[in-house]
Amino acid sequence: MFGLFSKREIEKRAEATTTYTFNAFQPGEQFPPYADRERISRQKRLKKIFQGKQLEVFERATALLKDTPHAPQLEKLYIAINLADILVTKPADLLVGEPPIFESGKPDDSPQQKAINSYVEENDLVQLIHESTIGNGYRGDAWIKIRYGYREDLTEVRKILSAEAFEVYKASFKAEPIIEHVNPEFVYPEVSRGNVKSFKAVNICTVEYVVSTKEEIPFLNVERHLPGFIKYERYRLHEYEGGVDTRFGYPLQTYNIGERVSTGREEDVIETGVPHLLVKHIPYKSVDDEWEGIGGIEKMEALLAAINDRVVQIDYILWKHSDPTAYGPDLEGVDGNAARFGGKYIPVTKEDATPGYMTWDGQLASAFKELELLITLAFQQAETPQWLFGSVLGENAGGTGTSHTDSAAIKARFMPILSKVKRIRTHYDKAIRDALWTCQLLDIEHGDADFEPVYPSIAWQDGIPKSEKELAEIMQIRTGNKPTIDVRTAIKRQDNLDDEKADEIIDRIEVDEKQINGFVEPSVFNDGGGS
């Protein structure tokens, strides 16, 4: 077993290419596969940091003093500075804070454009992108799946109705193309030979515990995606003593895969009718020699740990010395009118009888200065200006960001975060356009759609407030006072409306114009020849 682990560790370092001649998800194997444990452990660990549960991941300050009397106090005073949350949420806000426009390139009343509008609205696609971008920020990978089926989960309804009654009830629901998240911790892709950025298969594996009053039995559900097909499998899992892998910074539960059992489905192999995978990968940041993405928090773990340690230290110093120990002459026998001390008192029998306090110079100024430096470094690694959140910490944090009013100056100040958002956008643009194209193919194959599918385009916004007057003046100068935009597009962009709502407004405008033009011109009363 150790020899096999070493071989896969070499594969993990990309020093060799390995082709497996067996299925990793079969009886006798371990789950999760060894080659994926580092990735899954990292994603689980970074999620805890994003949630502000650093205490469950690292306790450096407490660990350093674990053998001293201070350890219980430090454990109680541990403070989690949740910078990870805001640092991964802000790029998502800028990416889809102003909703993008999804275009087919066809007329607004074309079936292709109407279908795309329907897919975007029914799947809450803008919200899906926002949520995916946040999770992608700490995991480094995001996956979406496109399927054709029912949006409602009818499994419980099936249990209370007969087969005939259930079919009648199911007919009241409409099957449709659905775009949904897939947790990256459940995804196990298989790369193509010679191209690490291409997948020949994608396995979605989930552990399901079937709980009864007497026992809890784990099962492994495997949903294997191939070009044009989906294969379903189900296995019995067995927990075993010592089945927790802690080598990658997170206690990852592992299992032995047992016998194969029934999936409970009518068919275990489904033909999708689409000649490509129905699962799309979206990395947060990528390189050319591996498929795994790089998260925004992964490179900041040490900094975030140091920030938490420094805050804990400062808080501990303030608590420890808020009620210092006093020293002075022996107060034994002094009457009740003598001064009382809140903290401990040490009697001193030397000639100097003046009471005093034992204080410790905790170098709080230096501690705060280091804390400011650490936070500044964290924001720099996140490519995010501190003032973007409305306030800054420290004297040299880059200003407040409010001293510029024209859009060019604002964009220049936002350049670091805008460049980051554009990089994230390139990955989402490809995946979302692929998803909308796949929705059309599924709708044509399994639904009532009857049109030629088109590959859509997306007009993304940068999230920066625009000066509409400034833009209009620039266009006026560049075109010599010629129109640069039609009425429908102007209404859609100004009010973030779809084609149907924009057409309604245009119709009402035309009605208003007809009513105005129906009145008699006042100039007719100036005609001297009239009666």
Side-chain angles (χ1 to χ4, degrees):
M1 183 63 69
F2 289 102
L4 182 61
F5 283 0
S6 300
K7 178 180 178 181
R8 294 184 181 177
E9 286 176 347
I10 293 176
E11 176 194 4
K12 192 67 182 176
R13 294 196 297 268
E15 295 178 0
T17 300
T18 302
T19 301
Y20 291 100
T21 58
F22 62 92
N23 181 9
F25 309 104
Q26 65 177 354
E29 294 294 320
Q30 288 190 4
F31 181 83
Y34 180 80
D36 296 280
R37 292 182 188 177
E38 181 180 359
R39 170 179 62 89
I40 297 172
S41 297
R42 181 180 69 248
Q43 292 174 351
K44 288 180 175 292
R45 184 178 72 248
L46 293 174
K47 183 177 181 179
K48 291 293 184 181
I49 296 176
F50 167 78
Q51 293 174 331
K53 299 179 180 179
Q54 287 92 329
L55 188 60
E56 300 180 16
V57 181
F58 45 69
E59 301 178 61
R60 295 199 313 172
T62 306
L64 289 174
L65 301 175
K66 64 180 179 180
D67 297 327
T68 69
H70 309 299
Q73 302 176 51
L74 282 175
E75 186 174 357
K76 293 182 176 64
L77 292 175
Y78 194 87
I79 302 173
I81 308 301
N82 196 1
L83 287 179
D85 190 324
I86 62 174
L87 290 178
V88 301
T89 300
K90 186 54 64 177
D93 295 340
L94 293 175
L95 184 63
V96 291
E98 294 182 50
I101 300 174
F102 304 87
E103 297 284 356
S104 66
K106 300 288 185 179
D108 295 331
D109 58 351
S110 65
Q112 292 91 338
Q113 185 61 50
K114 290 182 178 179
I116 289 177
N117 292 342
S118 174
Y119 304 149
V120 172
E121 182 176 355
E122 294 297 330
N123 290 288
D124 294 323
L125 196 55
V126 174
Q127 179 181 348
L128 182 145
I129 297 173
H130 188 272
E131 294 174 350
S132 175
T133 307
I134 293 177
N136 209 346
Y138 61 83
R139 289 189 306 254
D141 293 295
W143 295 82
I144 57 175
K145 181 175 70 173
I146 307 95
R147 62 181 177 90
Y148 190 87
Y150 299 98
R151 197 171 298 276
E152 294 78 10
D153 188 349
L154 304 178
T155 53
E156 292 300 316
V157 179
R158 183 190 294 270
K159 298 178 181 179
I160 63 174
L161 297 178
S162 64
E164 295 79 7
F166 178 74
E167 291 300 325
V168 174
Y169 176 75
K170 189 171 67 171
S172 62
F173 296 91
K174 179 184 177 182
E176 57 184 319
I178 297 174
I179 306 174
E180 57 190 9
H181 297 286
V182 179
N183 190 336
E185 297 173 9
F186 302 157
V187 181
Y188 300 83
E190 300 176 19
V191 298
S192 302
R193 176 180 294 180
N195 186 358
V196 74
K197 308 290 283 188
S198 175
F199 305 124
K200 62 182 180 182
V202 175
N203 302 288
I204 301 176
C205 304
T206 57
V207 176
E208 175 189 359
Y209 275 84
V210 178
V211 182
S212 65
T213 56
K214 297 182 179 179
E215 59 182 352
E216 299 179 356
I217 303 177
F219 292 90
L220 175 65
N221 298 315
V222 180
E223 182 179 316
R224 182 173 174 82
H225 285 258
L226 304 168
F229 296 90
I230 302 177
K231 182 180 179 181
Y232 296 91
E233 298 174 347
R234 182 176 172 88
Y235 297 92
R236 172 74 161 87
L237 290 179
H238 299 278
E239 298 179 352
Y240 59 96
E241 185 178 356
V244 178
D245 194 337
T246 61
R247 287 171 299 170
F248 303 111
Y250 188 89
L252 185 65
Q253 176 69 51
T254 60
Y255 306 86
N256 283 330
I257 301 178
E259 66 278 8
R260 184 173 178 176
V261 297
S262 172
T263 63
R265 303 176 59 89
E266 296 179 0
E267 297 181 21
D268 289 341
V269 178
I270 304 297
E271 189 172 359
T272 65
V274 177
H276 55 255
L277 295 171
L278 298 185
V279 184
K280 306 298 179 182
H281 177 225
I282 311 174
Y284 197 71
K285 184 170 70 173
S286 61
V287 292
D288 61 351
D289 59 352
E290 62 180 358
W291 70 264
E292 294 182 29
I294 303 171
I297 304 302
E298 180 179 351
K299 306 300 181 183
M300 299 168 52
E301 281 189 88
L303 269 178
L304 295 177
I307 290 172
N308 280 282
D309 294 344
R310 183 57 60 214
V311 172
V312 170
Q313 182 191 44
I314 292 173
D315 192 46
Y316 178 66
I317 292 172
L318 295 177
W319 273 98
K320 185 68 176 177
H321 299 283
S322 61
D323 194 6
T325 300
Y327 64 90
D330 190 354
L331 299 180
E332 185 177 357
V334 180
D335 59 14
N337 295 326
R340 295 181 178 271
F341 297 91
K344 295 181 180 179
Y345 185 84
I346 301 177
V348 178
T349 57
K350 294 183 179 180
E351 297 180 356
D352 186 5
T354 304
Y357 284 103
M358 296 180 64
T359 61
W360 173 59
D361 183 4
Q363 299 294 334
L364 284 180
S366 299
F368 275 109
K369 187 174 182 179
E370 183 187 1
L371 177 62
E372 294 175 7
L373 174 62
L374 293 172
I375 293 179
T376 300
L377 290 174
F379 276 95
Q380 284 184 351
Q381 286 202 2
E383 304 173 72
T384 304
Q386 280 196 52
W387 49 261
L388 192 62
F389 302 95
S391 61
V392 296
L393 180 65
E395 299 178 357
N396 299 316
T400 62
T402 59
S403 60
H404 300 84
T405 56
D406 64 294
S407 60
I410 293 176
K411 283 189 176 182
R413 292 279 287 163
F414 273 72
M415 185 57 66
I417 187 69
L418 288 182
S419 299
K420 179 179 181 178
V421 172
K422 288 180 180 179
R423 182 175 64 242
I424 298 171
R425 182 188 304 160
T426 58
H427 300 293
Y428 276 92
D429 184 77
K430 178 65 166 59
I432 298 301
R433 289 191 295 154
D434 283 349
L436 292 175
W437 182 52
T438 303
C439 284
Q440 298 175 66
L441 298 179
L442 291 174
D443 213 356
I444 294 171
E445 179 70 22
H446 303 285
D448 299 329
D450 184 15
F451 54 78
E452 185 70 23
V454 296
Y455 197 74
S457 62
I458 305 176
W460 300 88
Q461 311 296 322
D462 57 17
I464 303 298
K466 298 181 178 64
S467 172
E468 303 296 338
K469 180 180 179 182
E470 180 183 353
L471 291 176
E473 291 173 349
I474 294 174
M475 292 297 105
Q476 183 180 16
I477 294 172
R478 294 183 60 180
T479 62
N481 293 329
K482 292 181 180 180
T484 58
I485 191 172
D486 62 278
V487 177
R488 179 180 285 102
T489 303
I491 293 174
K492 288 169 59 178
R493 293 184 180 179
Q494 181 68 28
D495 298 324
N496 293 325
L497 301 176
D498 57 19
D499 296 308
E500 184 178 355
K501 298 294 179 59
D503 288 337
E504 292 178 3
I505 294 177
I506 292 174
D507 292 340
R508 290 197 294 267
I509 292 175
E510 292 177 353
V511 172
D512 292 341
E513 290 177 347
K514 290 179 180 179
Q515 292 176 350
I516 294 175
N517 294 333
F519 290 102
V520 177
E521 291 291 338
S523 59
V524 301
F525 297 104
N526 297 330
D527 188 357
S531 58

